[in-house]
Amino acid sequence: MCTESSTEECHSRQTSMQTNASQWSGVRSRLARIAAASTGASVHGDSQCRWVLEPPLSTEELSEIEAQLHVQLPGEYRSFLLHAGRGGAGPEYGIFPLRKVDGWWEWDSELPGLTNLDRLCEPFPHTEPFNPLDSIPPEPKEEDFETTEAFDSAVDEWQQRWESAITAPENTTGLLFLCDLGCCLRLAMVVSGPARGQMWADRIVDGAGYEPLLDNDGTRLTFARWYKRWLTEVERELGLTHSIASITHSCQYCQKVVVNEDWDFEMYDEKNEFVNIHLGVTLADLVDASRHGCDLAQYLLKAVESVKKANCPEKLMLSACYIPYNDDEHKEHADHFQTMVLWNTQTKSIEEWLRPMFALYTPSGDPAARRIATRPISVDPFSEETLTAVKVWLKECQNCHSSCNGDQTKAMPRRLLHIAEGDGNWKVHLQDPVVEPVAYTALSYCWGSMGSMPLKTTKSRLPSLVIDIPWQRLPRTIQHAAIVSYALGIHFLWVDAFCIIQDDKDDIQEEISNMPNIYGQAFITIVVSCAEGVQEGFLQDRILTEYTDNIFRVPFRCHDGQIGSVSLVEPHRLYEEEPLDARGWAMQERLLARRVLEFGSRQTRWMCKNDWNGSCDGWTPYVERSPQRHDHLPKAMMLSGGRMSKSRSNLDRLYSDWKTLLACFTSRELTIESDRILAIAGLAEKYSAFFPGSYLAGIWSFWLPYDLLWLVSGLVDRPQKYQAPSWSWAAINGPICYSAYYPFENVTNFYSGLRVIRTDIQLASATAPFGAVSYGILTLKGRMQPAEWVQDRTLRVHGNRVRLPGIEGPGGLLALRVASDCIENAAVRSSWTPCFLLYVVGKPRRKPKEYYGLLLKEEGNGLYSRLGRFCFKWEYDPIYCRGETREVWLDRFEFQSTWFDDCEERVIELI
């Protein structure tokens, strides 16, 4: 029972335990289906364990084991032991089961003593691959010795050293061996040390030593991912397809849980927006259903502390928050429960929070389909039905959307992959150069880790790739993209890893500068949102849910009294962004495309420049949106071909969209952080057709000086290498925005106090006018005041304070909100540092006054660099006042509102 003081901690622990338990839901039923399907099939892993997991451990048994070992086992493995099994069915020859022999727990393998249980609590000292045999000399060769006796003696000595090296206890301290691969190859899990939880391979017998197991994207495997990946691979090998209908639970007790739209307004009011409908059953009903084996009741009761403490379980109603929304056709639909609770009908309050936000779905022919918009997920992302639909969408686009048809007069990519099929085999080679216009697809995808692309075009490989690229050496995602392209009748594919020479800087610069044409001219851009790495692929069956034991069907009562049904499920990645949505380069690849065929975790989506509402193959009736994705450019911009009216109102709208796009882009990740300005160069080129003036390392000259007032929304360390001038957002690697303390979306409402006299930009490459720069200088004339600044990390909102030079105590503090650009060095964080405040824009005629400017550092010889941004607003802000009263703090405002008025203008160079 949680005390009041420990409620939050207890809730967190319960949530963690529920998450650990739920990650193994459905494992046993999946193994049962594998066992039934594998009769007579040769599938690695079935030879000894017969797809059976031994019974789970009790919490008491696990506590006894950990007390014996003097160490707590890693969390994922602990939860496997408690909720899946103590061993048995698993990768290769199965997972060694735990047995209790003569009062002592041990892992049962054919090699007793494989794991040193006495030293399992000591740290495994390694984090990188290592080979104990590296410490001994090469095996002696007989020709190096004059006599047989000398050779035999040397061999004996070498074998002793070899055996000592491979059996040295420090090699396996903290390692728990779990699995035998045969031929003396074994897998182990790190129990103690910095690599705790990781899976490692013992490949001593192959001479390779010890190394961590890697996922498809190059990340290190932990126990749960290792086990589940094996399970999925076996299912795929056997051709098993998850049918939601076949694994959905519905019993006579589930039929009493009725979803309806009869809101109880005594529950749903201004004080409580969490629940609004009753589901027809009480806690007492759930307890009774659980005793009779109802999976839904058992699932919900896992989270119910009230079972233990409630005197009147019949007074606690199962309730939910069911909120419909309006779709594009202004029809009301619903697709999920925001939450489920136990509602106390006596106290009119929430007694207990239950698990989930369940997603709801129903088949199209069900009466509930008029109100529930979501349909079952299409398991096959590129089924015959989906392929047929894509061809229809494509034909409609070709016939009806003139703006989506490319301009064949523009330069083609220098290289393309050519795809052919013959004798049942795929044949791919690199065509270099492409001499005449051809239809091609372009691929947008996640590479994964740096080492996940084993084959790519380099200067030395180029001649052989032009002749042939072995199909089996292509990463799975690229294989699948080739299959999709060929199925659509397009025999050429552009993939950056093959169509750009990866070790040729000049070729990289040239191809990046051609990116707007490459993606803009592609007949279709294939966007692989669902895959985290290039080895993963995207045409395999979709993961419907990790919780295959937790799919339930219950009745749904319509407004007209008809009874339909809905299924409750927690789909894969329902509340997560797609992996590709976090990648920086992928944004412009999507936005530059004229047509997009996207493969997501729950949908295959189609969109084009003329119809970004798009179409899809199921789940929701509309294309799923994501705030991280920024699906399209302004429609007027896409359809105008650069001929849109450049009225001030149109320009203001485009500028606002650019700032939103920039905020989304800078929140994404880049493998090479210095690619920041390159990865958006194609979009900058698009916007340059509409904005007057020049593009200055990420800043638009037409919008100067306002465009200098970008704001960092998440501090990171300052880059070690030069990326761009300090006044450009490209100089730093944190996410930026223009919104916080930046109310002038219509910049004409503010008056500039800063004149731009001259701009001097040196491009890194003359062929890339929107790419990287070698240096950039803005010559400015404006008003500037000296000050002192400290980056106080104990404060919220960037933690910065400024004061008048040399004036200590509250009397010297300036009532400015300062946002720094980066986490600075320790000296700046611990002591007051000289700085300058440069006035940029304001509302001098407004009472009270309001102005914005830049925080600068003097570099010498009239040169300054940007450190951050500040604003002055005539209002009390307790974040900055450090406990002072409102009156004392506001006394400073009169002085500060006119602080820059009598300041003499100066000419400075901002670098």
Side-chain angles (χ1 to χ4, degrees):
M1 189 68 65
C2 301
T3 63
E4 187 172 351
S5 62
S6 65
T7 298
E8 184 175 344
E9 179 185 350
C10 183
H11 176 73
S12 175
R13 187 163 58 250
Q14 287 175 353
T15 301
S16 175
M17 290 171 61
Q18 292 157 12
T19 301
N20 288 336
S22 62
Q23 70 177 328
W24 301 110
S25 296
V27 165
R28 285 178 170 272
S29 58
R30 291 171 72 179
L31 287 169
R33 289 194 297 275
I34 290 172
S38 63
T39 304
S42 177
V43 182
H44 205 56
D46 67 346
S47 59
Q48 291 189 2
C49 300
R50 295 182 174 83
W51 309 110
V52 175
L53 282 173
E54 298 197 11
L57 295 174
S58 67
T59 54
E60 293 77 13
E61 288 174 324
L62 182 56
S63 297
E64 183 181 345
I65 292 167
E66 292 178 334
Q68 170 191 307
L69 299 173
H70 305 292
V71 67
Q72 187 179 67
L73 297 171
E76 292 180 351
Y77 183 54
R78 292 183 90 246
S79 65
F80 177 83
L81 295 173
L82 289 170
H83 305 292
R86 65 185 67 197
E92 309 306 334
Y93 293 101
I95 296 176
F96 299 152
L98 270 160
R99 305 259 194 257
K100 193 173 185 179
V101 181
D102 297 329
W104 195 257
W105 287 93
E106 59 185 35
W107 279 262
D108 186 10
S109 73
E110 294 181 356
L111 294 171
L114 189 60
T115 295
N116 188 341
L117 299 180
D118 293 333
R119 301 190 65 174
L120 200 57
C121 60
E122 299 177 26
F124 179 63
H126 304 282
T127 58
E128 298 299 328
F130 70 99
N131 191 344
L133 299 181
D134 290 342
S135 62
I136 66 173
E139 185 175 0
K141 297 180 179 179
E142 188 170 3
E143 59 265 25
D144 295 334
F145 296 86
E146 294 181 357
T147 66
T148 301
E149 291 77 10
F151 171 65
D152 289 342
S153 177
V155 169
D156 289 341
E157 182 183 351
W158 181 86
Q159 287 179 337
Q160 289 176 5
R161 295 182 66 178
W162 184 89
E163 193 166 328
S164 296
I166 67 170
T167 58
E170 57 268 22
N171 294 338
T172 57
T173 294
L175 272 186
L176 172 59
F177 286 90
L178 290 177
C179 188
D180 184 7
L181 310 185
C183 301
C184 297
L185 297 173
R186 307 175 185 94
L187 300 182
M189 178 180 61
V190 181
V191 171
S192 306
R196 175 178 164 84
Q198 294 177 9
M199 298 297 297
W200 282 59
D202 169 4
R203 304 190 191 278
I204 288 285
V205 72
D206 286 343
Y210 293 82
E211 58 188 19
L213 298 184
L214 302 180
D215 207 344
N216 296 328
D217 63 356
T219 57
R220 297 191 176 188
L221 286 173
T222 56
F223 180 84
R225 175 60 180 152
W226 167 71
Y227 191 88
K228 289 183 176 181
R229 189 176 73 162
W230 162 77
L231 200 58
T232 301
E233 287 172 354
V234 173
E235 289 171 331
R236 188 178 294 127
E237 189 176 343
L238 291 170
L240 293 177
T241 299
H242 288 309
S243 165
I244 280 195
S246 67
I247 55 177
T248 299
H249 169 80
S250 184
C251 66
Q252 65 184 79
Y253 297 97
C254 293
Q255 298 307 302
K256 298 177 182 179
V257 180
V258 181
V259 181
N260 63 83
E261 297 182 293
D262 299 328
W263 286 25
D264 183 344
F265 288 99
E266 289 187 5
M267 283 200 302
Y268 188 78
D269 55 29
E270 293 179 359
K271 296 180 181 179
N272 172 35
E273 297 181 0
F274 297 109
V275 287
N276 59 356
I277 63 168
H278 296 301
L279 298 176
V281 295
T282 66
L283 176 58
D285 296 327
L286 289 177
V287 171
D288 181 60
S290 176
R291 289 171 182 158
H292 286 84
C294 174
D295 288 352
L296 174 58
Q298 292 174 358
Y299 175 67
L300 293 174
L301 290 179
K302 288 178 183 177
V304 180
E305 190 69 22
S306 302
V307 173
K308 304 172 185 176
K309 68 183 181 183
N311 293 322
C312 302
E314 68 279 358
K315 299 296 183 183
L316 300 182
M317 292 288 296
L318 180 64
S319 305
C321 183
Y322 170 89
I323 306 293
Y325 62 91
N326 289 316
D327 63 15
D328 294 336
E329 299 177 358
H330 306 292
K331 295 179 181 178
E332 274 197 347
H333 291 291
D335 57 14
H336 70 281
F337 285 150
Q338 290 187 0
T339 189
M340 294 179 76
V341 304
L342 287 176
W343 178 262
N344 192 315
T345 56
Q346 290 183 326
T347 63
K348 305 294 184 183
S349 62
I350 295 172
E351 186 77 24
E352 191 78 42
W353 293 91
L354 300 186
R355 186 136 179 138
M357 284 198 291
F358 270 128
L360 311 178
Y361 69 86
T362 193
S364 56
D366 193 283
R370 289 172 292 173
R371 301 294 293 170
I372 303 298
T374 326
R375 301 292 173 261
I377 293 173
S378 177
V379 176
D380 185 349
F382 202 55
S383 63
E384 286 296 326
E385 293 81 1
T386 300
L387 174 59
T388 300
V390 170
K391 289 180 176 179
V392 170
W393 300 330
L394 172 59
K395 185 175 182 180
E396 180 182 357
C397 178
Q398 287 180 281
N399 293 339
C400 304
H401 302 160
S402 58
S403 62
C404 296
N405 294 315
D407 181 1
Q408 294 297 321
T409 63
K410 292 185 178 180
M412 290 289 292
R414 167 69 186 269
R415 305 173 191 90
L416 289 170
L417 292 177
H418 180 263
I419 311 159
E421 188 182 16
D423 302 323
N425 298 314
W426 291 99
K427 301 181 184 299
V428 179
H429 74 271
L430 187 63
Q431 183 160 321
D432 181 15
V434 177
V435 295
E436 60 184 27
V438 293
Y440 66 93
T441 55
L443 181 63
S444 178
Y445 65 110
C446 290
W447 274 47
S449 64
M450 291 295 285
S452 61
M453 188 74 74
L455 181 64
K456 54 194 172 190
T457 299
T458 59
K459 294 176 184 177
S460 60
R461 285 179 179 157
L462 180 59
S464 64
L465 298 182
V466 169
I467 298 171
D468 178 61
I469 302 176
W471 179 258
Q472 65 274 15
R473 292 195 64 193
L474 283 174
R476 245 176 131 209
T477 291
I478 297 176
Q479 288 179 347
H480 289 179
I483 292 169
V484 169
S485 185
Y486 196 85
L488 294 173
I490 304 165
H491 296 180
F492 291 90
L493 171 66
W494 190 90
V495 182
D496 56 359
F498 289 91
C499 299
I500 299 176
I501 301 175
Q502 297 298 314
D503 58 353
D504 186 330
K505 291 184 178 179
D506 292 336
D507 193 68
I508 291 172
Q509 284 281 4
E510 184 177 344
E511 293 304 305
I512 286 176
S513 66
N514 194 34
M515 206 66 76
N517 288 335
I518 291 172
Y519 281 93
Q521 288 212 155
F523 195 68
I524 297 171
T525 295
I526 300 169
V527 176
V528 183
S529 295
C530 59
E532 297 179 1
V534 69
Q535 300 293 347
E536 193 172 321
F538 59 92
L539 293 186
Q540 63 271 22
D541 286 352
R542 287 191 172 106
I543 300 173
L544 305 178
T545 174
E546 284 89 348
Y547 315 113
T548 52
D549 281 354
N550 301 335
I551 307 175
F552 313 104
R553 187 170 65 252
V554 299
F556 181 95
R557 186 171 64 244
C558 304
H559 278 311
D560 60 4
Q562 277 193 288
I563 300 296
S565 65
V566 293
S567 293
L568 317 180
V569 68
E570 295 179 77
H572 180 57
R573 286 189 183 138
L574 181 60
Y575 304 109
E576 302 174 20
E577 64 181 17
E578 299 274 28
L580 192 65
D581 293 343
R583 305 305 304 169
W585 281 98
M587 171 176 275
Q588 75 168 4
E589 292 166 1
R590 171 191 293 275
L591 294 180
L592 293 173
R594 47 179 169 147
R595 302 182 185 98
V596 165
L597 178 59
E598 181 177 11
F599 292 87
S601 295
R602 290 171 299 281
Q603 287 182 328
T604 300
R605 300 183 272 269
W606 167 271
M607 291 167 281
C608 69
K609 285 168 62 175
N610 209 290
D611 181 16
W612 281 102
N613 289 326
S615 303
C616 61
D617 68 343
W619 184 236
T620 56
Y622 48 82
V623 168
E624 283 189 301
R625 303 296 182 190
S626 165
Q628 290 83 16
R629 202 154 56 219
H630 201 93
D631 279 320
H632 58 84
L633 297 173
K635 189 168 184 178
M637 177 177 167
M638 290 189 295
L639 304 183
S640 66
R643 297 182 297 275
M644 187 181 73
S645 166
K646 294 182 175 60
S647 66
R648 188 54 188 246
S649 60
N650 280 343
L651 291 177
D652 283 348
R653 281 194 292 271
L654 282 183
Y655 183 46
S656 177
D657 185 80
W658 167 261
K659 289 182 290 185
T660 302
L661 182 151
L662 203 57
C664 181
F665 166 73
T666 55
S667 68
R668 295 180 173 216
E669 301 171 3
L670 291 165
T671 302
I672 302 173
E673 291 182 332
S674 57
D675 282 352
R676 193 168 170 93
I677 197 166
L678 296 175
I680 201 172
L683 291 174
E685 183 177 344
K686 278 284 187 185
Y687 275 84
S688 71
F690 301 91
F691 290 158
S694 306
Y695 183 70
L696 309 171
I699 301 297
W700 299 102
S701 65
F702 180 74
W703 297 107
L704 285 173
Y706 309 101
D707 213 20
L708 296 174
L709 294 172
W710 48 269
L711 174 75
V712 175
S713 56
L715 287 180
V716 297
D717 291 330
R718 190 172 291 280
Q720 297 297 309
K721 295 182 179 180
Y722 182 87
Q723 295 181 181
S726 68
W727 41 266
S728 167
W729 51 264
I732 53 97
N733 294 322
I736 70 113
C737 65
Y738 287 86
S739 56
Y741 306 137
Y742 192 89
F744 41 98
E745 287 300 327
N746 184 353
V747 294
T748 55
N749 289 342
F750 277 68
Y751 297 89
S752 172
L754 188 67
R755 282 192 293 153
V756 180
I757 297 175
R758 185 173 60 256
T759 63
D760 184 11
I761 300 291
Q762 177 64 53
L763 294 171
S765 171
T767 62
F770 300 92
V773 300
S774 301
Y775 69 83
I777 301 175
L778 294 181
T779 304
L780 307 170
K781 186 174 184 179
R783 291 168 287 168
M784 191 163 64
Q785 289 279 20
E788 292 179 342
W789 163 61
V790 65
Q791 192 176 58
D792 186 346
R793 303 296 295 154
T794 64
L795 286 173
R796 294 188 298 115
V797 192
H798 300 286
N800 296 275
R801 296 177 71 77
V802 288
R803 72 181 187 187
L804 296 172
I807 302 179
E808 299 183 1
L813 292 178
L814 295 171
L816 299 175
R817 304 177 183 185
V818 180
S820 52
D821 294 340
C822 292
I823 299 174
E824 301 294 347
N825 58 44
V828 174
R829 299 199 301 269
S830 60
S831 60
W832 291 94
T833 302
C835 67
F836 287 86
L837 301 174
L838 177 66
Y839 183 100
V840 178
V841 299
K843 286 189 174 181
R845 299 170 190 172
R846 175 178 173 177
K847 295 295 183 179
K849 285 191 175 181
E850 182 178 347
Y851 56 78
Y852 298 77
L854 300 181
L855 178 72
L856 304 181
K857 173 186 176 183
E858 186 174 19
E859 301 288 355
N861 300 320
L863 300 178
Y864 294 82
S865 62
R866 170 178 163 142
L867 295 171
R869 201 201 74 178
F870 71 86
C871 78
F872 170 77
K873 301 185 77 172
W874 194 297
E875 63 185 36
Y876 174 69
D877 192 333
I879 293 175
Y880 296 93
C881 72
R882 287 295 181 106
E884 292 182 304
T885 65
R886 180 183 182 87
E887 290 70 23
V888 171
W889 187 254
L890 293 180
D891 281 345
R892 299 186 179 90
F893 281 35
E894 187 64 43
F895 153 71
Q896 262 194 251
S897 66
T898 59
W899 193 35
F900 286 97
D901 289 359
D902 300 325
C903 184
E904 184 177 344
E905 288 190 321
R906 297 171 54 183
V907 176
I908 66 168
E909 290 187 326
L910 193 57
I911 59 175

